[in-house]
PDB file of all heavy atoms in Angstrom:
ATOM      1  N   ARG A  42      -0.719 -19.131  -4.240  1.00  0.00           N
ATOM      2  CA  ARG A  42      -0.166 -18.747  -2.933  1.00  0.00           C
ATOM      3  C   ARG A  42      -0.729 -19.632  -1.807  1.00  0.00           C
ATOM      4  O   ARG A  42       0.005 -20.022  -0.889  1.00  0.00           O
ATOM      5  CB  ARG A  42      -0.489 -17.268  -2.669  1.00  0.00           C
ATOM      6  CG  ARG A  42       0.163 -16.705  -1.450  1.00  0.00           C
ATOM      7  CD  ARG A  42       1.659 -16.558  -1.604  1.00  0.00           C
ATOM      8  NE  ARG A  42       2.251 -16.024  -0.383  1.00  0.00           N
ATOM      9  CZ  ARG A  42       3.229 -16.632   0.284  1.00  0.00           C
ATOM     10  NH1 ARG A  42       3.770 -17.743  -0.165  1.00  0.00           N
ATOM     11  NH2 ARG A  42       3.706 -16.090   1.379  1.00  0.00           N
ATOM     12  N   VAL A  43      -2.012 -19.943  -1.886  1.00  0.00           N
ATOM     13  CA  VAL A  43      -2.619 -20.797  -0.848  1.00  0.00           C
ATOM     14  C   VAL A  43      -1.970 -22.174  -0.863  1.00  0.00           C
ATOM     15  O   VAL A  43      -1.678 -22.757   0.193  1.00  0.00           O
ATOM     16  CB  VAL A  43      -4.159 -20.883  -1.038  1.00  0.00           C
ATOM     17  CG1 VAL A  43      -4.765 -21.968  -0.145  1.00  0.00           C
ATOM     18  CG2 VAL A  43      -4.804 -19.526  -0.739  1.00  0.00           C
ATOM     19  N   LEU A  46       1.446 -21.822   0.807  1.00  0.00           N
ATOM     20  CA  LEU A  46       1.311 -21.669   2.259  1.00  0.00           C
ATOM     21  C   LEU A  46       0.900 -22.979   2.920  1.00  0.00           C
ATOM     22  O   LEU A  46       1.373 -23.313   4.015  1.00  0.00           O
ATOM     23  CB  LEU A  46       0.297 -20.566   2.589  1.00  0.00           C
ATOM     24  CG  LEU A  46       0.730 -19.151   2.195  1.00  0.00           C
ATOM     25  CD1 LEU A  46      -0.422 -18.173   2.358  1.00  0.00           C
ATOM     26  CD2 LEU A  46       1.917 -18.695   3.031  1.00  0.00           C
ATOM     27  N   ILE A  50       2.713 -24.812   6.030  1.00  0.00           N
ATOM     28  CA  ILE A  50       1.967 -25.150   7.249  1.00  0.00           C
ATOM     29  C   ILE A  50       2.107 -26.645   7.544  1.00  0.00           C
ATOM     30  O   ILE A  50       2.355 -27.065   8.683  1.00  0.00           O
ATOM     31  CB  ILE A  50       0.480 -24.744   7.097  1.00  0.00           C
ATOM     32  CG1 ILE A  50       0.374 -23.217   7.103  1.00  0.00           C
ATOM     33  CG2 ILE A  50      -0.394 -25.367   8.178  1.00  0.00           C
ATOM     34  CD1 ILE A  50      -0.941 -22.675   6.597  1.00  0.00           C
ATOM     35  N   SER A  69     -12.959 -15.107   6.892  1.00  0.00           N
ATOM     36  CA  SER A  69     -11.992 -16.168   6.589  1.00  0.00           C
ATOM     37  C   SER A  69     -12.603 -17.391   5.912  1.00  0.00           C
ATOM     38  O   SER A  69     -11.883 -18.329   5.581  1.00  0.00           O
ATOM     39  CB  SER A  69     -11.309 -16.621   7.886  1.00  0.00           C
ATOM     40  OG  SER A  69     -12.247 -17.310   8.696  1.00  0.00           O
ATOM     41  N   LEU A  72     -10.972 -18.562   2.491  1.00  0.00           N
ATOM     42  CA  LEU A  72      -9.594 -19.037   2.652  1.00  0.00           C
ATOM     43  C   LEU A  72      -9.575 -20.395   3.342  1.00  0.00           C
ATOM     44  O   LEU A  72      -8.842 -21.303   2.935  1.00  0.00           O
ATOM     45  CB  LEU A  72      -8.767 -18.021   3.450  1.00  0.00           C
ATOM     46  CG  LEU A  72      -7.339 -18.445   3.796  1.00  0.00           C
ATOM     47  CD1 LEU A  72      -6.530 -18.789   2.556  1.00  0.00           C
ATOM     48  CD2 LEU A  72      -6.631 -17.351   4.602  1.00  0.00           C
ATOM     49  N   LEU A  76      -7.862 -23.589   1.876  1.00  0.00           N
ATOM     50  CA  LEU A  76      -6.670 -24.032   2.608  1.00  0.00           C
ATOM     51  C   LEU A  76      -6.798 -25.481   3.096  1.00  0.00           C
ATOM     52  O   LEU A  76      -5.886 -26.287   2.904  1.00  0.00           O
ATOM     53  CB  LEU A  76      -6.425 -23.089   3.797  1.00  0.00           C
ATOM     54  CG  LEU A  76      -5.175 -23.326   4.617  1.00  0.00           C
ATOM     55  CD1 LEU A  76      -3.916 -23.075   3.792  1.00  0.00           C
ATOM     56  CD2 LEU A  76      -5.170 -22.431   5.865  1.00  0.00           C
ATOM     57  N   LEU A 120      -4.259 -23.391  14.429  1.00  0.00           N
ATOM     58  CA  LEU A 120      -3.930 -22.409  13.391  1.00  0.00           C
ATOM     59  C   LEU A 120      -5.110 -21.458  13.254  1.00  0.00           C
ATOM     60  O   LEU A 120      -6.220 -21.880  12.900  1.00  0.00           O
ATOM     61  CB  LEU A 120      -3.675 -23.102  12.040  1.00  0.00           C
ATOM     62  CG  LEU A 120      -3.404 -22.147  10.882  1.00  0.00           C
ATOM     63  CD1 LEU A 120      -2.063 -21.433  11.054  1.00  0.00           C
ATOM     64  CD2 LEU A 120      -3.441 -22.891   9.542  1.00  0.00           C
ATOM     65  N   VAL A 121      -4.880 -20.192  13.574  1.00  0.00           N
ATOM     66  CA  VAL A 121      -5.926 -19.175  13.438  1.00  0.00           C
ATOM     67  C   VAL A 121      -5.877 -18.619  12.012  1.00  0.00           C
ATOM     68  O   VAL A 121      -4.813 -18.251  11.526  1.00  0.00           O
ATOM     69  CB  VAL A 121      -5.706 -18.022  14.449  1.00  0.00           C
ATOM     70  CG1 VAL A 121      -6.733 -16.918  14.235  1.00  0.00           C
ATOM     71  CG2 VAL A 121      -5.774 -18.553  15.875  1.00  0.00           C
ATOM     72  N   VAL A 122      -7.027 -18.603  11.364  1.00  0.00           N
ATOM     73  CA  VAL A 122      -7.092 -18.153   9.976  1.00  0.00           C
ATOM     74  C   VAL A 122      -7.877 -16.845   9.893  1.00  0.00           C
ATOM     75  O   VAL A 122      -9.026 -16.758  10.327  1.00  0.00           O
ATOM     76  CB  VAL A 122      -7.758 -19.219   9.084  1.00  0.00           C
ATOM     77  CG1 VAL A 122      -7.773 -18.753   7.627  1.00  0.00           C
ATOM     78  CG2 VAL A 122      -7.022 -20.541   9.204  1.00  0.00           C
ATOM     79  N   GLU A 123      -7.219 -15.851   9.331  1.00  0.00           N
ATOM     80  CA  GLU A 123      -7.792 -14.508   9.242  1.00  0.00           C
ATOM     81  C   GLU A 123      -7.750 -14.059   7.772  1.00  0.00           C
ATOM     82  O   GLU A 123      -6.855 -14.478   7.025  1.00  0.00           O
ATOM     83  CB  GLU A 123      -6.931 -13.588  10.148  1.00  0.00           C
ATOM     84  CG  GLU A 123      -7.260 -12.142  10.184  1.00  0.00           C
ATOM     85  CD  GLU A 123      -8.652 -11.816  10.692  1.00  0.00           C
ATOM     86  OE1 GLU A 123      -9.609 -12.268  10.061  1.00  0.00           O
ATOM     87  OE2 GLU A 123      -8.761 -11.071  11.681  1.00  0.00           O
ATOM     88  N   ASP A 124      -8.687 -13.237   7.369  1.00  0.00           N
ATOM     89  CA  ASP A 124      -8.652 -12.765   5.979  1.00  0.00           C
ATOM     90  C   ASP A 124      -7.657 -11.621   5.804  1.00  0.00           C
ATOM     91  O   ASP A 124      -6.874 -11.600   4.861  1.00  0.00           O
ATOM     92  CB  ASP A 124     -10.050 -12.368   5.486  1.00  0.00           C
ATOM     93  CG  ASP A 124     -10.751 -11.374   6.399  1.00  0.00           C
ATOM     94  OD1 ASP A 124     -10.226 -11.077   7.496  1.00  0.00           O
ATOM     95  OD2 ASP A 124     -11.832 -10.886   6.032  1.00  0.00           O
ATOM     96  N   ILE A 125      -7.675 -10.679   6.749  1.00  0.00           N
ATOM     97  CA  ILE A 125      -6.805  -9.511   6.582  1.00  0.00           C
ATOM     98  C   ILE A 125      -6.367  -8.962   7.937  1.00  0.00           C
ATOM     99  O   ILE A 125      -7.157  -8.960   8.890  1.00  0.00           O
ATOM    100  CB  ILE A 125      -7.530  -8.416   5.741  1.00  0.00           C
ATOM    101  CG1 ILE A 125      -6.618  -7.225   5.462  1.00  0.00           C
ATOM    102  CG2 ILE A 125      -8.830  -7.981   6.364  1.00  0.00           C
ATOM    103  CD1 ILE A 125      -7.131  -6.296   4.360  1.00  0.00           C
ATOM    104  N   VAL A 126      -5.106  -8.547   8.008  1.00  0.00           N
ATOM    105  CA  VAL A 126      -4.610  -7.850   9.205  1.00  0.00           C
ATOM    106  C   VAL A 126      -4.412  -6.399   8.799  1.00  0.00           C
ATOM    107  O   VAL A 126      -3.658  -6.102   7.868  1.00  0.00           O
ATOM    108  CB  VAL A 126      -3.294  -8.444   9.728  1.00  0.00           C
ATOM    109  CG1 VAL A 126      -2.847  -7.712  10.996  1.00  0.00           C
ATOM    110  CG2 VAL A 126      -3.458  -9.927  10.012  1.00  0.00           C
ATOM    111  N   ASP A 127      -5.117  -5.528   9.495  1.00  0.00           N
ATOM    112  CA  ASP A 127      -5.109  -4.111   9.159  1.00  0.00           C
ATOM    113  C   ASP A 127      -4.434  -3.368  10.322  1.00  0.00           C
ATOM    114  O   ASP A 127      -3.211  -3.309  10.405  1.00  0.00           O
ATOM    115  CB  ASP A 127      -6.575  -3.703   8.949  1.00  0.00           C
ATOM    116  CG  ASP A 127      -6.752  -2.316   8.380  1.00  0.00           C
ATOM    117  OD1 ASP A 127      -5.979  -1.425   8.740  1.00  0.00           O
ATOM    118  OD2 ASP A 127      -7.687  -2.093   7.598  1.00  0.00           O
ATOM    119  N   LEU A 132      -6.497  -9.472  15.391  1.00  0.00           N
ATOM    120  CA  LEU A 132      -5.634 -10.643  15.540  1.00  0.00           C
ATOM    121  C   LEU A 132      -4.966 -10.681  16.916  1.00  0.00           C
ATOM    122  O   LEU A 132      -4.901 -11.736  17.549  1.00  0.00           O
ATOM    123  CB  LEU A 132      -4.589 -10.684  14.420  1.00  0.00           C
ATOM    124  CG  LEU A 132      -3.801 -11.988  14.329  1.00  0.00           C
ATOM    125  CD1 LEU A 132      -4.726 -13.178  14.069  1.00  0.00           C
ATOM    126  CD2 LEU A 132      -2.728 -11.912  13.248  1.00  0.00           C
ATOM    127  N   GLU A 148      -0.405 -20.841  15.905  1.00  0.00           N
ATOM    128  CA  GLU A 148       0.150 -20.038  14.820  1.00  0.00           C
ATOM    129  C   GLU A 148      -0.997 -19.368  14.089  1.00  0.00           C
ATOM    130  O   GLU A 148      -2.175 -19.713  14.294  1.00  0.00           O
ATOM    131  CB  GLU A 148       0.968 -20.909  13.850  1.00  0.00           C
ATOM    132  CG  GLU A 148       2.081 -21.719  14.500  1.00  0.00           C
ATOM    133  CD  GLU A 148       3.243 -20.879  15.037  1.00  0.00           C
ATOM    134  OE1 GLU A 148       3.294 -19.663  14.755  1.00  0.00           O
ATOM    135  OE2 GLU A 148       4.085 -21.429  15.772  1.00  0.00           O
ATOM    136  N   THR A 149      -0.645 -18.414  13.228  1.00  0.00           N
ATOM    137  CA  THR A 149      -1.686 -17.623  12.556  1.00  0.00           C
ATOM    138  C   THR A 149      -1.373 -17.480  11.070  1.00  0.00           C
ATOM    139  O   THR A 149      -0.210 -17.461  10.667  1.00  0.00           O
ATOM    140  CB  THR A 149      -1.780 -16.214  13.177  1.00  0.00           C
ATOM    141  OG1 THR A 149      -0.491 -15.596  13.091  1.00  0.00           O
ATOM    142  CG2 THR A 149      -2.200 -16.271  14.625  1.00  0.00           C
ATOM    143  N   ILE A 150      -2.436 -17.370  10.287  1.00  0.00           N
ATOM    144  CA  ILE A 150      -2.262 -17.097   8.864  1.00  0.00           C
ATOM    145  C   ILE A 150      -3.290 -16.049   8.456  1.00  0.00           C
ATOM    146  O   ILE A 150      -4.437 -16.088   8.907  1.00  0.00           O
ATOM    147  CB  ILE A 150      -2.415 -18.380   8.010  1.00  0.00           C
ATOM    148  CG1 ILE A 150      -2.280 -18.043   6.512  1.00  0.00           C
ATOM    149  CG2 ILE A 150      -3.716 -19.104   8.268  1.00  0.00           C
ATOM    150  CD1 ILE A 150      -2.203 -19.274   5.612  1.00  0.00           C
ATOM    151  N   ALA A 151      -2.848 -15.116   7.627  1.00  0.00           N
ATOM    152  CA  ALA A 151      -3.765 -14.110   7.077  1.00  0.00           C
ATOM    153  C   ALA A 151      -3.529 -14.044   5.579  1.00  0.00           C
ATOM    154  O   ALA A 151      -2.379 -14.039   5.130  1.00  0.00           O
ATOM    155  CB  ALA A 151      -3.502 -12.742   7.699  1.00  0.00           C
ATOM    156  N   LEU A 152      -4.588 -14.006   4.813  1.00  0.00           N
ATOM    157  CA  LEU A 152      -4.404 -13.903   3.362  1.00  0.00           C
ATOM    158  C   LEU A 152      -3.736 -12.576   3.014  1.00  0.00           C
ATOM    159  O   LEU A 152      -2.810 -12.524   2.228  1.00  0.00           O
ATOM    160  CB  LEU A 152      -5.752 -13.995   2.624  1.00  0.00           C
ATOM    161  CG  LEU A 152      -5.581 -13.911   1.110  1.00  0.00           C
ATOM    162  CD1 LEU A 152      -4.995 -15.192   0.552  1.00  0.00           C
ATOM    163  CD2 LEU A 152      -6.876 -13.551   0.416  1.00  0.00           C
ATOM    164  N   LEU A 153      -4.225 -11.500   3.634  1.00  0.00           N
ATOM    165  CA  LEU A 153      -3.729 -10.168   3.293  1.00  0.00           C
ATOM    166  C   LEU A 153      -3.163  -9.454   4.508  1.00  0.00           C
ATOM    167  O   LEU A 153      -3.624  -9.666   5.632  1.00  0.00           O
ATOM    168  CB  LEU A 153      -4.864  -9.304   2.712  1.00  0.00           C
ATOM    169  CG  LEU A 153      -5.581  -9.835   1.480  1.00  0.00           C
ATOM    170  CD1 LEU A 153      -6.696  -8.877   1.073  1.00  0.00           C
ATOM    171  CD2 LEU A 153      -4.617 -10.047   0.317  1.00  0.00           C
ATOM    172  N   ASP A 154      -2.206  -8.589   4.260  1.00  0.00           N
ATOM    173  CA  ASP A 154      -1.625  -7.775   5.326  1.00  0.00           C
ATOM    174  C   ASP A 154      -1.446  -6.356   4.789  1.00  0.00           C
ATOM    175  O   ASP A 154      -0.947  -6.169   3.682  1.00  0.00           O
ATOM    176  CB  ASP A 154      -0.261  -8.358   5.722  1.00  0.00           C
ATOM    177  CG  ASP A 154       0.304  -7.691   6.968  1.00  0.00           C
ATOM    178  OD1 ASP A 154      -0.374  -6.821   7.539  1.00  0.00           O
ATOM    179  OD2 ASP A 154       1.426  -8.041   7.360  1.00  0.00           O
ATOM    180  N   LYS A 155      -1.900  -5.397   5.577  1.00  0.00           N
ATOM    181  CA  LYS A 155      -1.689  -3.979   5.239  1.00  0.00           C
ATOM    182  C   LYS A 155      -0.744  -3.400   6.293  1.00  0.00           C
ATOM    183  O   LYS A 155      -1.197  -2.785   7.270  1.00  0.00           O
ATOM    184  CB  LYS A 155      -3.006  -3.202   5.341  1.00  0.00           C
ATOM    185  CG  LYS A 155      -3.969  -3.357   4.193  1.00  0.00           C
ATOM    186  CD  LYS A 155      -5.103  -2.360   4.437  1.00  0.00           C
ATOM    187  CE  LYS A 155      -6.267  -2.595   3.541  1.00  0.00           C
ATOM    188  NZ  LYS A 155      -7.419  -1.727   3.911  1.00  0.00           N
ATOM    189  N   ARG A 159      -0.745  -0.621  10.451  1.00  0.00           N
ATOM    190  CA  ARG A 159      -0.607  -1.300  11.733  1.00  0.00           C
ATOM    191  C   ARG A 159      -0.548  -0.336  12.926  1.00  0.00           C
ATOM    192  O   ARG A 159       0.165   0.655  12.908  1.00  0.00           O
ATOM    193  CB  ARG A 159       0.646  -2.170  11.733  1.00  0.00           C
ATOM    194  CG  ARG A 159       0.640  -3.181  12.848  1.00  0.00           C
ATOM    195  CD  ARG A 159      -0.386  -4.308  12.637  1.00  0.00           C
ATOM    196  NE  ARG A 159       0.209  -5.401  11.901  1.00  0.00           N
ATOM    197  CZ  ARG A 159      -0.001  -5.614  10.604  1.00  0.00           C
ATOM    198  NH1 ARG A 159      -0.815  -4.851   9.909  1.00  0.00           N
ATOM    199  NH2 ARG A 159       0.591  -6.608   9.995  1.00  0.00           N
ATOM    200  N   CYS A 164       2.125  -9.636  13.713  1.00  0.00           N
ATOM    201  CA  CYS A 164       2.230 -10.074  12.333  1.00  0.00           C
ATOM    202  C   CYS A 164       1.804 -11.540  12.311  1.00  0.00           C
ATOM    203  O   CYS A 164       2.159 -12.290  13.223  1.00  0.00           O
ATOM    204  CB  CYS A 164       3.686  -9.940  11.908  1.00  0.00           C
ATOM    205  SG  CYS A 164       3.868  -9.717  10.172  1.00  0.00           S
ATOM    206  N   ALA A 165       1.038 -11.943  11.312  1.00  0.00           N
ATOM    207  CA  ALA A 165       0.657 -13.355  11.226  1.00  0.00           C
ATOM    208  C   ALA A 165       1.896 -14.196  10.928  1.00  0.00           C
ATOM    209  O   ALA A 165       2.842 -13.711  10.304  1.00  0.00           O
ATOM    210  CB  ALA A 165      -0.389 -13.542  10.132  1.00  0.00           C
ATOM    211  N   THR A 166       1.878 -15.443  11.368  1.00  0.00           N
ATOM    212  CA  THR A 166       2.996 -16.346  11.076  1.00  0.00           C
ATOM    213  C   THR A 166       3.177 -16.471   9.563  1.00  0.00           C
ATOM    214  O   THR A 166       4.288 -16.452   9.056  1.00  0.00           O
ATOM    215  CB  THR A 166       2.711 -17.753  11.668  1.00  0.00           C
ATOM    216  OG1 THR A 166       2.172 -17.630  12.974  1.00  0.00           O
ATOM    217  CG2 THR A 166       3.969 -18.598  11.684  1.00  0.00           C
ATOM    218  N   TRP A 167       2.048 -16.623   8.863  1.00  0.00           N
ATOM    219  CA  TRP A 167       2.082 -16.697   7.398  1.00  0.00           C
ATOM    220  C   TRP A 167       1.156 -15.632   6.811  1.00  0.00           C
ATOM    221  O   TRP A 167       0.036 -15.437   7.307  1.00  0.00           O
ATOM    222  CB  TRP A 167       1.597 -18.063   6.908  1.00  0.00           C
ATOM    223  CG  TRP A 167       2.521 -19.182   7.252  1.00  0.00           C
ATOM    224  CD1 TRP A 167       3.673 -19.513   6.601  1.00  0.00           C
ATOM    225  CD2 TRP A 167       2.378 -20.131   8.313  1.00  0.00           C
ATOM    226  NE1 TRP A 167       4.262 -20.599   7.191  1.00  0.00           N
ATOM    227  CE2 TRP A 167       3.490 -21.006   8.242  1.00  0.00           C
ATOM    228  CE3 TRP A 167       1.432 -20.337   9.313  1.00  0.00           C
ATOM    229  CZ2 TRP A 167       3.673 -22.058   9.134  1.00  0.00           C
ATOM    230  CZ3 TRP A 167       1.614 -21.382  10.198  1.00  0.00           C
ATOM    231  CH2 TRP A 167       2.715 -22.235  10.112  1.00  0.00           C
ATOM    232  N   THR A 168       1.653 -14.961   5.779  1.00  0.00           N
ATOM    233  CA  THR A 168       0.852 -13.947   5.083  1.00  0.00           C
ATOM    234  C   THR A 168       0.815 -14.286   3.602  1.00  0.00           C
ATOM    235  O   THR A 168       1.854 -14.640   3.021  1.00  0.00           O
ATOM    236  CB  THR A 168       1.489 -12.553   5.265  1.00  0.00           C
ATOM    237  OG1 THR A 168       1.426 -12.209   6.656  1.00  0.00           O
ATOM    238  CG2 THR A 168       0.738 -11.502   4.474  1.00  0.00           C
ATOM    239  N   GLY A 169      -0.370 -14.167   3.021  1.00  0.00           N
ATOM    240  CA  GLY A 169      -0.489 -14.429   1.586  1.00  0.00           C
ATOM    241  C   GLY A 169       0.122 -13.321   0.754  1.00  0.00           C
ATOM    242  O   GLY A 169       1.041 -13.541  -0.043  1.00  0.00           O
ATOM    243  N   PHE A 170      -0.372 -12.111   0.967  1.00  0.00           N
ATOM    244  CA  PHE A 170       0.067 -10.955   0.189  1.00  0.00           C
ATOM    245  C   PHE A 170       0.075  -9.707   1.065  1.00  0.00           C
ATOM    246  O   PHE A 170      -0.870  -9.473   1.817  1.00  0.00           O
ATOM    247  CB  PHE A 170      -0.898 -10.676  -0.970  1.00  0.00           C
ATOM    248  CG  PHE A 170      -1.109 -11.832  -1.894  1.00  0.00           C
ATOM    249  CD1 PHE A 170      -2.123 -12.760  -1.657  1.00  0.00           C
ATOM    250  CD2 PHE A 170      -0.306 -12.005  -3.011  1.00  0.00           C
ATOM    251  CE1 PHE A 170      -2.322 -13.842  -2.506  1.00  0.00           C
ATOM    252  CE2 PHE A 170      -0.496 -13.077  -3.871  1.00  0.00           C
ATOM    253  CZ  PHE A 170      -1.510 -14.000  -3.610  1.00  0.00           C
ATOM    254  N   GLU A 171       1.122  -8.917   0.919  1.00  0.00           N
ATOM    255  CA  GLU A 171       1.118  -7.567   1.513  1.00  0.00           C
ATOM    256  C   GLU A 171       0.472  -6.639   0.491  1.00  0.00           C
ATOM    257  O   GLU A 171       0.791  -6.707  -0.696  1.00  0.00           O
ATOM    258  CB  GLU A 171       2.549  -7.094   1.765  1.00  0.00           C
ATOM    259  CG  GLU A 171       3.120  -7.624   3.045  1.00  0.00           C
ATOM    260  CD  GLU A 171       4.397  -6.893   3.457  1.00  0.00           C
ATOM    261  OE1 GLU A 171       4.731  -5.856   2.849  1.00  0.00           O
ATOM    262  OE2 GLU A 171       5.053  -7.382   4.377  1.00  0.00           O
ATOM    263  N   TYR A 180     -13.082 -12.701  -2.068  1.00  0.00           N
ATOM    264  CA  TYR A 180     -12.461 -13.860  -1.441  1.00  0.00           C
ATOM    265  C   TYR A 180     -12.767 -13.844   0.074  1.00  0.00           C
ATOM    266  O   TYR A 180     -11.903 -14.059   0.898  1.00  0.00           O
ATOM    267  CB  TYR A 180     -10.954 -13.861  -1.726  1.00  0.00           C
ATOM    268  CG  TYR A 180     -10.314 -15.221  -1.563  1.00  0.00           C
ATOM    269  CD1 TYR A 180     -10.462 -16.210  -2.536  1.00  0.00           C
ATOM    270  CD2 TYR A 180      -9.575 -15.525  -0.439  1.00  0.00           C
ATOM    271  CE1 TYR A 180      -9.887 -17.454  -2.386  1.00  0.00           C
ATOM    272  CE2 TYR A 180      -8.983 -16.778  -0.271  1.00  0.00           C
ATOM    273  CZ  TYR A 180      -9.153 -17.733  -1.247  1.00  0.00           C
ATOM    274  OH  TYR A 180      -8.570 -18.969  -1.080  1.00  0.00           O
ATOM    275  N   ILE A 182     -13.909 -11.156   1.830  1.00  0.00           N
ATOM    276  CA  ILE A 182     -13.899  -9.802   2.418  1.00  0.00           C
ATOM    277  C   ILE A 182     -15.040  -8.974   1.822  1.00  0.00           C
ATOM    278  O   ILE A 182     -15.276  -9.009   0.616  1.00  0.00           O
ATOM    279  CB  ILE A 182     -12.537  -9.119   2.160  1.00  0.00           C
ATOM    280  CG1 ILE A 182     -11.420  -9.960   2.776  1.00  0.00           C
ATOM    281  CG2 ILE A 182     -12.527  -7.696   2.707  1.00  0.00           C
ATOM    282  CD1 ILE A 182     -10.022  -9.494   2.417  1.00  0.00           C
TER     283      ILE A 182
END
Side-chain angles (χ1 to χ4, degrees):
R42 187 70 181 124
V43 169
L46 293 171
I50 290 164
S69 69
L72 175 57
L76 184 65
L120 177 68
V121 176
V122 182
E123 177 61 299
D124 53 353
I125 184 165
V126 182
D127 189 323
L132 191 60
E148 305 291 350
T149 57
I150 178 171
L152 181 73
L153 303 178
D154 189 2
K155 282 187 192 173
R159 196 71 89 258
C164 206
T166 317
W167 292 281
T168 295
F170 304 90
E171 278 194 10
Y180 201 77
I182 301 172

